[in-house]
Structure formats: C-alpha cells, structure tokens
Amino acid sequence: MHRIGEVAFSSGLQKNREEISQFRLQTDLSFLSYKKETTKMYNGMSRGIAKMILGLFLGLAAHSAMAQEVVTIPSYTPTIGAISTFRTEKSIETDMSIWLEKPSIIMRGDFLQQMMVVSKDEQAVRMRWSLSSDVPAKATGNYDLNSQYKTTLDLYGVEQLQFETDLNGFPFSLIGFDSIRQNMQDKIASSFGNRPVPEGSVLSSLVKKLDDNPLVLTDILVPEARLLARGQWYKSASLKVGDQWQASRDDDINGTAVNIVTTSLLESVDHSTQTAVITWDEISDKEALTKASQPGIDAMIAASKERAAKLTTDQLAVIKSASSRRLGRSVVSLVDGSTIEVTETLTTQLGGLKTTTVTHVKREDGISSDLAAKSPRNPVSGAIQPVSPNWQNASNLEQTLKELKSNDKDTQGKQAGVEQLLGSATVPAKPDKILLTTLPEKVKYSEPVALKISSAAVMKSPISYGYELKIILQPESSALFGAFTKAAIGQKTQLRVDGEIISEPVVISPIVDGTVQISGDDKETLDAMARHLLSPDAHIEVQATPEALPLQVENATASKLDSGGVAVNIVLTPQSAALYKDFTRQAVGRAIELRVNSQVMGSMVLKDENATGKIQLTDGSSTQEQSESFASLLPDATVEVIVIIKPPTQ
C-alpha cells in the first residue's frame, strides 16, 4: 500500500491541520494564505511605504518642545562581492492550554547563513544566499527547527538561493526556479512514482503555491531577507530622534480585507558605533482577522466538542477571536544603510491557539565565510549513560573517523586563520554544555496500545485524490486512544497492523471521538485491510516512537582486545552517567542503538541497567591508530542513544 501523507486521525482536524501546524513545519506553506505576503504586495509596499515615509519626514512635528537631534539615514548601498554572515536565532512557542492540560511546546533554531550582493543598479539588487541547516559551533542545546530546515533543503535540493530585490532589499524575482522545481519534482517522483500527487494534500498545495508564485521560496528558505529589508531604505532621508510615522495596507486573507497598520519610530542613534535604532509595531484589525479566520476557528471547536462545552465564557471569547501583532527593532548602519541586527516578535492567536515567534538576526562579520559555511555542529548537551560493554560495531568506523577528522582539521585550520586575522582574544571560547537534570519523557520506551475495531469502511476521500479507510474504535479502545494521544502531543508515533507500519504521524491534538482515518490511493489494499480489521482477533497497534538522548562524553581511550580486535572505551560525565542509569533502567529488555554524528555505531539488547558511566565499542577490522584517533574526537562529537522499537536485523 502506498501511504499518502500522515494518518488523518480526526476528520474534524484534517481540514484545519495546515492552520494548526503553520508555525511548526517549514515545508507547510499554509501560513502564506494567512499572511498573504506576496511578491506584488511586498514590492509595492516597500516602495510605497518608503515614499510615504519620505513625504511624512517633511511634515513631522517634534514630540517635545526640546530640540531633537537630526539624523541622516543613508540609502541601502551594500558592497558588491562582499560576503556577510548572519546568525539567526529563532524560537516558536505554541500554547494550547485552553484546549489541553499541557505546557507550551517550544521549538528552537540556530542558523548561520551567508549573503553576497552579486550586483546592484538603479532598479534592483541581486543577492545570493548560501544556506545551511547546521547548528553553529558556538550554539548549545537542541534545535528542532534546524532538523525541519534540513528536510526543507532536501526537498528543494538547494544549497544556495539567488534572487533580485528592490532597492530596499525586498525580494521580487527568484532566479533559477526551473531547476529547483525539477529537483522538487524528482523528490516527489521518488516517493509517488508515476502516480499524481493527491489533490488537496499539503504537498499538492505546496506545489500549486510555488507554481503560482515562485517567490514563495524566499519566505521559506531565506526569511531573513525580508526581515533585514524592513530597516533599509532605497533613498537617504533626514529625520529627528523621536519622530514616528505610520503606514497602512489591506491584506486579502481568505477573501476578507484585513487592514494592517504599522507605526514606526526612530528610537535612538549611537555615534560611537555609527548606528541608528528603528522600531515598529504592526497590528492587524482584530475584527476583520477574526472574520477571515472563522472557518479555522469553527473547525477547532467542532473537533473538540467535549472540551469546548466545559470552557468558561472568557475562554470561549478567546477561542472565537483572532489577532496578530509584530513588534520589531532594527539596528541600521549609518555608513551604508544596511541592517546589521534585527529582532522581531510575532504573536498570533487563532481559535485558542497562541503562537509566539521570536526571531533574532545579527550580522557576524568577524566570522570568515569558510568557517561559517563548514563549522561543525556543537555537541548537543544532555545527560546520558553508557550501555553494557560489548557493543558490536555494525557501522563503518573508518568512514566515521574520516568525517570527524576532516571536520576537526578544517576547524583547526580555519580557527587559526581567524586568530591571525582578528587576534586570539576575539576567538570565542568553547561554550559550556547545558546539562539535562531529568530524563525526558520522550526518550522513554512506552508499550504499544492495542485498539479493537468496531467498524471499518473504505470511501472516496472528500479532501484528497484517493481513498480513506475510516475506522471506528470500540468504546473501550476509543478511551484508550484518547488518553494515548493526549499524552503524546507533539510526538512521533507508529500505527501498525500485524506488525507492519502503516503510518508514522506526529500527534497534534487529542483524538477523543474514536475515529482513525488512513489515506491511500490503492482501494483494493484498503478494502483488504478493512476486511482484516473486522475479523474477531484483529486490532491496530499504536505506539509512541522514542527520541534519541544525547550523551556527554568526558573522555575516551582505545585498547586492544584479547581476540585481536580493538575497543574504544567511553567514559561519560557524572551527570550523563546518572541519566543514562535512568535510561537503561527503563529500557531493560529493549534494543538500543548508539550513534556518533548520526552514524549508527552499534546496537544491543539491554540485559540490565548500567550505572558505571562507561560504554565499550568493539571492532575487529579497525586499527589501533584509527581507534585512538576516533576516541580523541568523541568528547566533541554528537553522541546519542535511542531505544528502537523494532530490534535491528541480525
């Protein structure tokens, strides 16, 4: 059976899934219909607002009787051929506390991107951005958004994006879209073969949006471009510190005109750094936005009728409204008019779902382009514990060693170059690692839940090209499934029939109506599954997929074995050893896997908990020298352990 997308757990939520996940998935473009920041609007807005601002400058009145300093903000005049490195830190907090008794979900990202201005004339600027999902070397912590961005880059098959902007820096023309579109088509073909992409699916919506407006890619891959452009002007102007101005526009959101007012302020100037600070406050008309968002609000209420019936009047008022506000602060160079730092906080509320997105972009000219492009990932902090000795190394240690040594050599050489260029005092010290204090729930193994079937029928899908197997659970199983999905919010799961995985969805909301929907384009296969599920002993298994737990290595050494092979002996930090003890205790009898820089180094079935803080990797083909080199690099590598649901094939 060919699976299409995720399991449609809830028919009520299916139509609204794009709205719920708009801030979680970079490959989901549904948020563009919410914001409608199209090429035409931005191109016209950037020039229109700039002209409006210049006109307002002439008639702005001082906000104080005291004399105010006059500042000249220069036009945006970037240096042709110069490479600028930008570090982007992003956090997305999703709060569904009105609907769920769970804390907010916070996702983070940390990126290093590079931009070069290829050319500039009287009408346009051509930019080339180099893209990477790697976490910067000086970052610490776990970064879900980087993983999502990697998936996005893989989908489009790009490492660079080139486009033209207006003289403020707002993109208006994408270059090389045909090649990107072909890469995407090839990726889709590898998943769907010759079958068409299901109509109405997220993927088909994505393809349509790109075909209608290729510039959408700049929003997905280089959101920094528009954010930087907000503080840049196509023509120089003089104004006083404390002056403010307004601009207004109407966005078409789901057929409703939503008025958006932006109030900007020249907050301050710093002559020592030759910079000025400009802030802005952008608010959408709440009444119009609520009207435009009504279909999504109604869908969320319909999907959780039981919970909605228990809400207070105030809570219902929040759910039945929508709002959006952006607060921003740009630091602009008084030398060339470019934005060197910008921070934006976007707060949206829709149907009781509150999302706060904070983005901070800062130019880091002190980092060489080479180093920024290839900086190795910082070890993910965390605590763990070793596994019993005798990890049989099933991976290629020599290949992993080459990758580690290559990164290490590149880093050493380029860091030496930075020291020579900037002075050793400017080279950032190795960051402290942030340690976990308790074992995260998501790394723990949880037993599968067996669900009994009341009815199963195949029908034509109302929302996609294909079919749906609609399964109604028995009352007891419906309650079990509701409890399971409530506990697994934000977690990847497996749905299995007779041991075969039929889908691996991420739970985005509790499913309390006892309905499971499975999409596909092969009706015969779905019919056969429906018949099987109606047999007396048939059931569906659902299980949460554990996440990997990062290990912090204190030291590692190599030694020879009596058998003639070699071993790498890993000692974890005390904090990691304590956590790993908890990890192994809950995973006794389960298969676990050890990874180094995403490479699987070995797997084993735990016989008992491990409280020694030591792990031993054995290998019969590597040399003593290779093992010693590998061991020397482990304290700076990304080392993880994970419980695997299905034992590895021997």
Side-chain angles (χ1 to χ4, degrees):
M1 185 182 81
H2 300 287
R3 296 184 296 278
I4 301 174
E6 298 177 349
V7 169
F9 271 145
S10 168
S11 59
L13 281 178
Q14 178 70 23
K15 295 182 180 179
N16 193 43
R17 288 170 65 189
E18 294 184 7
E19 292 174 342
I20 294 175
S21 63
Q22 59 184 310
F23 297 103
R24 298 187 190 173
L25 302 178
Q26 295 195 32
T27 55
D28 183 353
L29 298 185
S30 60
F31 71 97
L32 290 173
S33 66
Y34 185 74
K35 296 194 295 186
K36 289 290 182 181
E37 297 177 342
T38 61
T39 308
K40 181 178 179 181
M41 181 195 75
Y42 267 107
N43 193 21
M45 182 188 73
S46 60
R47 289 192 175 93
I49 292 178
K51 292 176 181 177
M52 184 185 301
I53 290 170
L54 290 173
L56 288 171
F57 287 161
L58 301 177
L60 278 171
H63 296 286
S64 167
M66 299 175 61
Q68 294 173 297
E69 180 180 5
V70 177
V71 180
T72 298
I73 307 293
S75 61
Y76 176 48
T77 53
T79 303
I80 309 301
I83 296 177
S84 296
T85 300
F86 293 91
R87 181 174 182 180
T88 301
E89 297 171 283
K90 190 170 188 177
S91 69
I92 302 175
E93 180 179 3
T94 305
D95 181 0
M96 292 187 69
S97 56
I98 288 182
W99 292 109
L100 309 172
E101 296 178 359
K102 292 183 79 70
S104 299
I105 297 173
I106 299 178
M107 302 179 71
R108 298 172 60 211
D110 201 330
F111 309 87
L112 273 182
Q113 312 289 38
Q114 294 182 298
M115 183 270 286
M116 183 177 74
V117 175
V118 179
S119 63
K120 182 178 183 292
D121 56 30
E122 294 180 353
Q123 295 184 338
V125 178
R126 177 172 291 197
M127 297 180 179
R128 181 168 67 235
W129 283 76
S130 297
L131 313 174
S132 172
S133 62
D134 291 343
V135 178
K138 57 184 177 181
T140 58
N142 293 314
Y143 297 95
D144 298 325
L145 296 182
N146 288 73
S147 299
Q148 292 182 2
Y149 190 58
K150 182 180 186 303
T151 302
T152 303
L153 293 179
D154 290 343
L155 175 64
Y156 300 118
V158 296
E159 294 181 352
Q160 290 186 339
L161 195 68
Q162 192 166 177
F163 49 86
E164 290 188 332
T165 75
D166 64 14
L167 298 182
N168 297 62
F170 284 102
F172 68 77
S173 177
L174 182 64
I175 299 169
F177 174 69
D178 290 344
S179 176
I180 297 172
R181 183 67 175 81
Q182 186 60 53
N183 292 339
M184 185 181 178
Q185 192 64 42
D186 293 343
K187 193 76 173 181
I188 294 172
S190 67
S191 300
F192 287 87
N194 294 323
R195 298 181 307 280
V197 178
E199 289 293 333
S201 66
V202 171
L203 191 55
S204 68
S205 298
L206 169 63
V207 172
K208 185 178 185 305
K209 284 184 172 75
L210 288 178
D211 288 342
D212 291 343
N213 179 16
L215 198 65
V216 163
L217 274 175
T218 64
D219 291 302
I220 301 170
L221 299 179
V222 195
E224 294 89 346
R226 295 195 188 279
L227 203 53
L228 292 168
R230 296 199 69 146
Q232 297 166 171
W233 299 345
Y234 80 98
K235 186 176 181 180
S236 63
S238 297
L239 62 159
K240 298 174 182 178
V241 174
D243 281 347
Q244 69 177 23
W245 57 95
Q246 280 191 343
S248 176
R249 73 179 191 271
D250 286 338
D251 280 4
D252 181 355
I253 301 177
N254 297 330
T256 299
V258 178
N259 183 247
I260 300 173
V261 176
T262 303
T263 303
S264 302
L265 167 73
L266 177 58
E267 181 180 275
S268 63
V269 61
D270 186 338
H271 292 290
S272 65
T273 59
Q274 285 292 285
T275 58
V277 174
I278 298 173
T279 63
W280 69 88
D281 185 355
E282 181 178 285
I283 302 177
S284 298
D285 180 84
K286 188 172 182 179
E287 183 177 347
L289 187 59
T290 299
K291 179 181 178 182
S293 307
Q294 199 60 52
I297 294 172
D298 292 342
M300 294 188 74
I301 294 175
S304 302
K305 292 181 180 178
E306 292 185 11
R307 174 61 179 166
K310 300 176 182 178
L311 298 177
T312 66
T313 302
D314 290 343
Q315 288 175 323
L316 282 172
V318 171
I319 287 172
K320 293 179 179 180
S321 66
S323 62
S324 177
R325 184 177 188 180
R326 295 176 185 268
L327 294 172
R329 180 180 186 273
S330 292
V331 180
V332 181
S333 169
L334 296 180
V335 177
D336 64 3
S338 64
T339 300
I340 59 177
E341 185 174 6
V342 59
T343 303
E344 181 188 68
T345 300
L346 168 62
T347 304
T348 62
Q349 190 150 310
L350 170 66
L353 173 67
K354 181 180 179 180
T355 303
T356 304
T357 304
V358 180
T359 307
H360 177 236
V361 183
K362 185 175 183 180
R363 195 166 74 200
E364 295 193 347
D365 291 337
I367 300 179
S368 71
S369 58
D370 245 340
L371 179 60
K374 297 184 179 180
S375 57
R377 293 189 56 165
N378 186 68
V380 176
S381 59
I384 294 191
Q385 272 223 293
V387 199
S388 307
N390 303 322
W391 282 79
Q392 292 300 321
N393 181 9
S395 69
N396 190 334
L397 174 60
E398 186 173 359
Q399 178 183 350
T400 305
L401 176 62
K402 286 180 179 178
E403 294 176 358
L404 287 170
K405 291 191 72 173
S406 173
N407 287 338
D408 186 61
K409 187 182 298 182
D410 288 346
T411 303
Q412 291 174 1
K414 295 182 178 77
Q415 179 140 332
V418 174
E419 288 187 15
Q420 185 177 6
L421 180 65
L422 303 175
S424 58
T426 64
V427 178
K430 185 177 179 180
D432 294 332
K433 300 176 181 179
I434 301 173
L435 298 175
L436 302 173
T437 56
T438 58
L439 192 68
E441 288 296 323
K442 289 186 178 182
V443 307
K444 297 179 181 179
Y445 177 89
S446 59
E447 295 290 342
V449 177
L451 305 173
K452 288 286 189 177
I453 314 302
S454 176
S455 66
V458 178
M459 61 191 69
K460 194 74 175 176
S461 173
I463 60 174
S464 66
Y465 178 79
Y467 300 90
E468 284 183 357
L469 170 56
K470 185 174 182 179
I471 301 167
I472 305 297
L473 302 176
Q474 294 182 8
E476 184 176 349
S477 290
S478 176
L480 285 173
F481 192 50
F484 170 85
T485 53
K486 184 177 180 180
I489 294 294
Q491 194 161 357
K492 186 178 179 180
T493 62
Q494 282 188 4
L495 278 160
R496 300 187 295 266
V497 174
D498 290 343
E500 180 186 353
I501 300 173
I502 59 175
S503 186
E504 294 185 284
V506 175
V507 179
I508 60 174
S509 178
I511 293 103
V512 296
D513 63 356
T515 300
V516 179
Q517 294 181 11
I518 300 173
S519 301
D521 59 351
D522 188 338
K523 186 175 184 298
E524 291 185 3
T525 301
L526 292 177
D527 282 335
M529 185 180 295
R531 289 192 297 270
H532 173 71
L533 290 175
L534 291 174
S535 61
D537 297 328
H539 65 273
I540 292 178
E541 274 189 349
V542 61
Q543 185 172 18
T545 304
E547 295 182 1
L549 183 67
L551 300 170
Q552 186 171 334
V553 177
E554 188 169 89
N555 63 70
T557 58
S559 62
K560 291 184 178 180
L561 299 172
D562 294 338
S563 61
V566 293
V568 174
N569 305 296
I570 301 171
V571 179
L572 301 175
T573 64
Q575 295 91 339
S576 291
L579 277 180
Y580 190 70
K581 179 181 179 180
D582 293 340
F583 176 85
T584 54
R585 181 189 301 123
Q586 61 87 29
V588 169
R590 307 295 172 194
I592 62 174
E593 189 173 81
L594 184 75
R595 303 170 182 172
V596 176
N597 282 16
S598 301
Q599 296 285 328
V600 177
M601 301 307 298
S603 59
M604 62 173 292
V605 176
L606 280 176
K607 296 181 180 179
D608 50 36
E609 72 175 50
N610 185 298
T612 66
K614 297 177 181 179
I615 303 173
Q616 186 180 71
L617 289 168
T618 61
D619 186 33
S621 59
S622 299
T623 65
Q624 177 75 12
E625 182 181 3
Q626 288 174 333
S627 298
E628 289 175 353
S629 297
F630 178 72
S632 69
L633 297 172
L634 281 176
D636 290 323
T638 300
V639 182
E640 298 173 314
V641 67
I642 187 172
V643 178
I644 47 181
I645 292 179
K646 185 177 180 180
T649 303
Q650 300 295 329

